[in-house]
Amino acid sequence: MTERVPSYRLAGKRIWVAGSSGMVGRAISRQLENENCELISVGRERLDLRRQSDVEDWMAETRPQAIFLAAAKVGGIMANQTFPADFLYDNLMIESNIIHAAHRIGVEKLMFLGSSCIYPRNAAQPITEDALLTGALEPSNEWYAIAKIAGIKLCQAYRRQFGSDFVSAMPTNLYGEHDNFDLQTSHVIPALIAKTHAAKTKGAAALDVWGTGTPRRDFLYVDDAAAAIVYLMQHYSDEQHLNVGAGRDISIGELSALICEVVGFQGGLNFLTDKPDGTPLKKLDTSRLSALGWQARIGLREGITRTYDWYCEQLANPNR
Ligand code: GDP
């Protein structure tokens, strides 16, 4: 990777990672440990990000200079379908409150994080940033997607009207340590890791995989995503949102086989076709990110191995 001089320096800055207890927020905080900045944080028991005046008061008091907006209500395909109101309302409130308060106190730079589900279900693949709002969304996660699209538009609108340096990054499907392993609400990688480990432990004959196994996704290890996000914070300033992905896709069937190998489970795969497949293919075009000098470093096998090791450690020491 070519070394570039940052256009925004993080060193010496007071930085708030909103959502610092989540998988992405934790990874960004770890990444920022190398940047010589002052990290501020607030737990959800102290500040409910859906409450506007509380957010405004807390931000006016603590005065962060830069913000990574990684706080969000997130979940897998089933959670999105079960809790549409939470996914729409919570995410709209969290992002509106933080972005508006950031404008009010004159935050120098804000990075808003969305998701690849903002794109139309039938977008041409790999999906370029220009596909936004060119077609109908995938119905299984449109509530979350609509909220995230509003977040991109908020950043653009504040930039246009007030000159705020607010940027947006859209990561692909992420996974890694501190992911949610609850089978009802998780994304596919943590779900399959937990299910495969349980199948191995029980000596089960087969692993249950939702859907047909044919959908394809582009997965990125969370530490890679965090590195990209911090890099963009330092090097990017424009109203165009940017994709963050690994730029390679894999089918859910192939992914399941890979997870079985990493976990050491030798049984078969049992596809539950009554469960939803979601969008058939989601793969991001990351040319714009690559042109800025950034590339993913951690391959899927390595990332899954790290995640599985972390999961086993958690099972052994749940309070750590
Ligand atoms: P999506 O990218 O928004 O569809 O989110 P998910 O990560 O929840 O699902 C990705 C794909 O993996 C879908 O086709 C799911 O049906 C499939 N999948 C297979 N097994 C599982 C599972 O146990 N949990 C989840 N969440 N998805 C699964």
Side-chain angles (χ1 to χ4, degrees):
M1 191 157 65
T2 32
E3 278 299 319
R4 294 183 179 217
V5 181
S7 53
Y8 183 73
R9 289 193 178 275
L10 293 168
K13 297 285 167 65
R14 276 170 73 71
I15 298 187
W16 178 33
V17 180
S20 61
S21 60
M23 174 177 70
V24 178
R26 281 174 190 264
I28 293 173
S29 304
R30 284 197 297 277
Q31 188 72 28
L32 289 173
E33 283 168 12
N34 311 321
E35 299 296 336
N36 207 10
C37 47
E38 182 195 346
L39 280 185
I40 51 178
S41 68
V42 57
R44 71 175 64 199
E45 63 301 331
R46 251 221 68 209
L47 180 63
D48 183 340
L49 297 173
R50 295 168 301 182
R51 297 187 174 273
Q52 183 184 32
S53 57
D54 292 357
V55 172
E56 288 187 349
D57 290 349
W58 184 81
M59 280 174 64
E61 223 171 86
T62 48
R63 303 203 84 80
Q65 289 165 291
I67 299 175
F68 289 87
L69 209 176
K73 166 94 183 161
V74 296
I77 195 163
M78 207 58 98
N80 270 269
Q81 286 185 325
T82 316
F83 308 108
D86 293 353
F87 276 83
L88 185 54
Y89 176 80
D90 288 8
N91 287 312
L92 283 172
M93 294 307 285
I94 292 168
E95 68 203 22
S96 304
N97 291 343
I98 296 177
I99 290 170
H100 184 66
H103 154 66
R104 282 183 59 155
I105 65 162
V107 162
E108 293 167 8
K109 188 145 191 176
L110 179 145
M111 162 71 67
F112 171 69
L113 298 181
S115 147
S116 55
C117 70
I118 58 162
Y119 293 114
R121 174 183 163 83
N122 294 321
Q125 306 281 332
I127 312 173
T128 66
E129 288 86 353
D130 308 321
L132 184 65
L133 293 172
T134 56
L137 296 166
E138 155 62 33
S140 62
N141 52 30
E142 66 180 335
W143 320 98
Y144 181 74
I146 292 275
K148 289 295 179 182
I149 293 169
I152 297 176
K153 291 293 163 192
L154 277 169
C155 290
Q156 290 176 349
Y158 280 79
R159 178 179 285 274
R160 285 198 191 177
Q161 191 174 333
F162 304 110
S164 313
D165 194 357
F166 296 170
V167 293
S168 303
M170 300 300 119
T172 187
N173 287 40
L174 303 179
Y175 69 99
E177 54 191 76
H178 295 284
D179 208 338
N180 167 20
F181 288 82
D182 174 274
L183 295 184
Q184 290 312 309
T185 55
S186 63
H187 286 104
V188 61
I189 290 187
L192 288 180
I193 286 178
K195 289 200 285 194
T196 311
H197 181 79
K200 180 175 108 172
T201 313
K202 277 191 285 191
L207 167 70
D208 284 343
V209 180
W210 294 356
T212 59
T214 57
R216 303 186 71 86
R217 298 285 184 275
D218 168 14
F219 295 102
L220 185 66
Y221 187 61
V222 70
D223 282 15
D224 257 343
I229 288 159
V230 170
Y231 185 82
L232 289 176
M233 186 73 148
Q234 296 166 302
H235 295 273
Y236 185 70
S237 175
D238 204 324
E239 73 168 41
Q240 171 68 60
H241 66 280
L242 284 190
N243 289 343
V244 174
R248 43 159 202 248
D249 59 311
I250 183 170
S251 75
I252 299 302
E254 290 160 342
L255 173 75
S256 310
L258 175 59
I259 291 178
C260 288
E261 254 181 75
V262 170
V263 172
F265 173 66
Q266 277 151 12
L269 300 178
N270 178 31
F271 292 101
L272 305 181
T273 49
D274 59 327
K275 291 279 195 291
D277 263 346
T279 196
L281 169 60
K282 226 182 337 175
K283 179 183 176 184
L284 293 181
D285 181 308
T286 52
S287 320
R288 281 184 164 121
L289 177 63
S290 314
L292 287 166
W294 191 87
Q295 234 145 38
R297 294 179 172 196
I298 300 156
L300 191 55
R301 180 182 291 271
E302 184 188 343
I304 288 175
T305 306
R306 287 195 201 182
T307 309
Y308 180 52
D309 289 348
W310 181 86
Y311 177 70
C312 291
E313 262 172 47
Q314 285 301 114
L315 288 182
N317 305 295
N319 299 323
R320 272 196 9 195

